[in-house]
Amino acid sequence: MQTISLSNSNFEVIINPSLGGSIVAYNWLNHPNAPIQLLRDARNAKHVLEASNFPLVPFSNRIKNGTFVWQDKTYTTPLNFHPETSAIHGHAWQSEWDAKHQSDEQLILTYQGKAQDWPFAYIAQQTFTLSDEGLHHEISIKNLSDMTMPAGLGFHPYFVRTPNTTMTADVKQMWAVDDKCLPTQLTSVPAGLNEQMTRVNDVELDNGFTGFGGKAKVTWPELDAGVTIEASDTCELAVIFTPKDEDFFCIEPVSHCTDAINLANQGVQGTGIKPLAPNETFSIWMKLTPINPQ
């Protein structure tokens, strides 16, 4: 699997188009403790779930039973990750992307949706831009069908997890979930998450959070380093995944909640699902900027 590297004197980003168009490394090169893994190093990844970050297209997280009602018609999309009983993370993460433009500090990848996966035709694009400040990552989707389609996008970054790693996120409420990780009701946010730095090892989460203000932060005290996560206002929610006894965790800016199409059809407000008209484009972006925490 051939990778593509973007680099400058401060950072390097390595992308694998054939592995779901994923990032497989993002390193801080000129930190005193360099190299600092701003995302986990996955250059030897054999599966996209081992990557550093992958795109969620044309929906994020899960669609219950792979079935949804849209504009009074029932559609299905394949259950794509057994034994999951939901369709998960869209389809582009399990497909090869095409490189359309490359320079020292920018890469553009595209992906054409497949008819067997999604009942609406679309094309998606990822733009990775590296500057002296860090990485800017944009994902867009264009509806190529002749009807309005439900659309959603998201990022799935994996951060290194040390014993004292902390995080904070600007969020308002949390979706409680059932044993299949599907949302059940809105509840309060764990104490401290949106007010002060919460130690990652002290919480076990796999939940969506509403009212995401587009800002989060990770710090690694042992490394005297950290990273800020800034997202576009089209990322209305965030998913936080802190699995027990793992060496990673995820803070995922996304445009909609889990099972958003079905919840919206049930009358739930604020799901974030985007009705995308024919030839309309929808996009999100995320900036990952390294910091020296004080």
Side-chain angles (χ1 to χ4, degrees), residues 233-265:
D233 58 9
T234 45
C235 290
E236 299 182 24
L237 296 97
V239 175
I240 299 180
F241 180 39
T242 60
K244 187 177 180 180
D245 298 328
E246 294 287 358
D247 61 359
F248 67 84
F249 70 104
C250 304
I251 301 175
E252 310 162 32
V254 298
S255 67
H256 63 81
C257 70
T258 300
D259 204 27
I261 309 173
N262 287 319
L263 290 180
N265 191 57

Side-chain angles (χ1 to χ4, degrees), residues 55 97 107 109 125-129 135-140 153 155 232 281-287:
W97 289 62
L107 173 67
L109 303 179
Q125 178 173 295
Q126 292 189 82
T127 303
F128 307 88
T129 304
L135 175 65
H136 186 284
H137 183 189
E138 181 176 3
I139 307 174
S140 66
L153 299 169
F155 302 96
S232 58
T281 298
F282 174 65
S283 66
I284 64 174
W285 56 259
M286 173 179 69
K287 289 171 62 176

Side-chain angles (χ1 to χ4, degrees), residues 57-59 63 65-68 75-82 86-97 111-122 141 149-150 261:
V57 179
F59 63 88
I63 296 177
N65 299 324
T67 302
F68 62 93
Y75 296 94
T76 60
T77 185
L79 303 184
N80 57 333
F81 190 63
H82 300 290
S86 298
I88 185 168
H89 295 333
H91 312 103
W93 67 294
Q94 295 174 311
S95 302
E96 183 170 353
W97 289 62
Y111 169 75
Q112 188 93 31
K114 298 179 176 64
Q116 65 266 30
D117 292 334
W118 194 241
F120 309 91
Y122 70 87
I141 183 170
M149 68 174 271
I261 309 173

Side-chain angles (χ1 to χ4, degrees), residues 21-36:
S22 63
I23 297 172
V24 293
Y26 175 31
N27 294 323
W28 190 357
L29 301 179
N30 63 351
H31 186 279
N33 297 319
I36 299 291

Side-chain angles (χ1 to χ4, degrees), residues 157-217:
Y158 288 81
F159 297 97
V160 172
R161 183 172 178 170
T162 63
N164 294 315
T165 299
T166 63
M167 64 177 175
T168 187
D170 180 10
V171 291
K172 297 294 190 293
Q173 289 184 291
M174 182 179 78
W175 276 105
V177 295
D178 62 18
D179 60 353
K180 297 186 183 299
C181 215
L182 292 165
T184 56
Q185 62 179 343
L186 283 170
T187 62
S188 58
V189 172
L193 179 62
N194 56 1
E195 300 167 358
Q196 59 193 30
M197 302 304 284
T198 297
R199 205 169 74 107
V200 173
N201 282 351
D202 290 343
V203 291
E204 188 174 348
L205 299 167
D206 193 356
N207 301 80
F209 291 81
T210 66
F212 180 45
K215 293 185 183 299
K217 182 165 69 172

